[in-house]
């Protein structure tokens, strides 16, 4: 198989979702020529709003290569939503379980079958204060190195104006513009003949995210921070501050126990 056909469920989603998206959101889409016409590949996309998967899926659908997203397994339950997720071939991710690797096996199988698998390498909404991409998980790099498929970096911007991260308040008017810029494949050839060690996966992941960030700089017309926001580093720093405060409080003793009389 050279590419996945647009089946019933994706066409149904297009019928339901495209008309309001076209009416409510303006589009500035560039780089669609970099989306491969045939064969399996990965897209690596930044994530800064809960609505950007729908907006990005619109872009990808219009390219003629429908994406298979990595999505949390709870979305695959009963009802219409679960039927839609299964019908469109999305890939369930079982986080923090013994079956976590099944998602990567499914992604590898999809790429080998000539499909597009869309990754949000950060794994969640960015926590960077200015919404720049964070440090990423190694899943996209792992699948890319295993299959040696093209990795297309994609930057998107504007969805956070419609729905800010971790907000429930939509802002549709005045109409916002969703900007997308897809770049040429990330060159990972230097990793192909090397053992897939944690160090190699880290380097490949950083190469992918550097390409995504560079495209986002072009979209936003400004420079990203020199060091990507690392939520693990931030949590560690906060823990150290908290422990330091506890030590100071313990050293001082209870309030009002000073020796002066």
């Amino acid at each position: 198989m050279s590419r996945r056909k647009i089946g019933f469920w994706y066409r149904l989603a297009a019928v339901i979702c495209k008309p309001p998206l076209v009416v409510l959101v303006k589009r500035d889409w560039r780089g669609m020529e970099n989306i491969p016409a045939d064969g399996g590949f990965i897209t690596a996309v930044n994530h800064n709003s809960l609505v950007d998967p729908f907006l990005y899926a619109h872009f990808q659908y219009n390219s003629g290569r429908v994406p298979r997203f990595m999505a949390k397994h709870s979305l695959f339950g009963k009802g219409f939503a679960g039927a839609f997720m299964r019908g469109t071939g999305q890939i369930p991710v079982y986080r923090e379980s013994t079956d976590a690797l099944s998602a990567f096996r499914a992604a590898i199988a999809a790429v080998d079958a000539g499909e597009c698998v869309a990754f949000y390498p950060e794994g969640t909404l960015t926590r960077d204060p200015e919404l720049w991409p964070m440090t990423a998980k190694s899943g996209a790099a792992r699948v890319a190195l295993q299959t040696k498929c093209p990795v297309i970096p994609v930057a998107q911007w504007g969805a956070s104006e419609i729905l800010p991260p971790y907000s429930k308040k939509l802002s549709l008017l005045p109409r916002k513009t969703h900007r997308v810029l897809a770049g040429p494949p990330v060159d990972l050839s230097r990793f192909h003949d090397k053992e897939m060690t944690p160090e190699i996966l880290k380097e490949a992941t950083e190469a992918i995210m550097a390409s995504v960030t560079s495209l986002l700089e072009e979209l936003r017309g400004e420079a990203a921070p020199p060091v990507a926001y690392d939520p693990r580093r931030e949590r560690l720093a906060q823990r150290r501050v908290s422990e330091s405060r506890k030590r100071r409080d313990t050293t001082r003793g209870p309030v009002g126990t000073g020796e002066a009389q």
Side-chain angles (χ1 to χ4, degrees):
M1 181 188 294
S2 62
R3 60 187 292 180
R4 181 183 180 89
K5 295 182 178 180
I6 299 176
F8 165 78
W9 283 99
Y10 252 118
R11 293 190 187 280
L12 176 62
V15 168
I16 295 172
C17 297
K18 284 186 70 174
L21 289 175
V22 169
V23 170
L24 296 172
V25 183
K26 295 184 285 185
R27 294 165 302 285
D28 177 9
W29 291 348
R30 290 176 278 156
M32 200 174 285
E33 67 278 5
N34 289 313
I35 302 296
D38 295 290
F41 66 101
I42 287 170
T43 58
V45 193
N46 66 304
H47 190 19
N48 55 53
S49 171
L50 289 175
V51 300
D52 67 39
F54 300 96
L55 301 176
Y56 169 68
H58 187 191
F59 166 84
Q60 187 77 46
Y61 182 93
N62 278 27
S63 77
R65 301 301 309 274
V66 294
R68 292 183 65 178
F69 285 95
M70 310 281 283
K72 58 184 179 181
H73 74 281
S74 59
L75 297 175
F76 292 76
K78 297 179 180 179
F80 178 80
F84 169 80
M85 296 298 287
R86 293 187 295 273
T88 53
Q90 310 310 315
I91 299 172
V93 177
Y94 298 84
R95 295 177 179 174
E96 300 178 356
S97 79
T98 56
D99 200 27
L101 291 177
S102 66
F104 297 120
R105 291 194 290 268
I108 289 170
V111 170
D112 286 340
E115 301 183 34
C116 166
V117 178
F119 275 87
Y120 284 111
E122 298 160 277
T124 186
L125 288 169
T126 182
R127 290 180 170 81
D128 180 88
E130 300 299 323
L131 305 186
W132 290 101
M134 302 186 295
T135 54
K137 301 181 185 300
S138 63
R142 186 182 298 274
V143 174
L145 297 184
Q146 181 73 30
T147 61
K148 295 182 172 59
C149 71
V151 179
I152 308 301
V154 181
Q156 58 178 336
W157 188 243
S160 60
E161 296 180 2
I162 299 172
L163 183 66
Y166 308 104
S167 171
K168 297 181 180 179
K169 186 175 181 180
L170 282 169
S171 176
L172 295 173
L173 297 175
R175 291 173 71 202
K176 312 301 189 296
T177 300
H178 180 232
R179 295 179 170 83
V180 178
L181 179 57
V186 182
D187 183 7
L188 300 178
S189 59
R190 63 189 182 278
F191 304 115
H192 286 168
D193 296 326
K194 297 182 179 180
E195 182 183 355
M196 201 184 302
T197 62
E199 292 74 22
I200 291 297
L201 285 172
K202 183 176 184 292
E203 288 184 38
T205 298
E206 289 175 349
I208 292 170
M209 292 310 295
S211 294
V212 174
T213 302
S214 177
L215 293 171
L216 187 57
E217 287 179 321
E218 185 173 343
L219 277 183
R220 294 177 57 167
E222 55 185 319
V227 178
Y229 183 92
D230 186 339
R232 290 172 296 185
R233 184 177 62 232
E234 293 299 321
R235 286 195 298 269
L236 180 59
Q238 291 173 6
R239 188 179 305 124
R240 287 173 176 170
V241 170
S242 177
E243 291 173 351
S244 177
R245 288 174 177 170
K246 289 180 180 178
R247 285 195 297 269
R248 288 200 303 269
D249 291 343
T250 301
T251 301
R252 291 171 181 170
V255 176
T257 61
E259 294 181 357
Q261 297 297 324

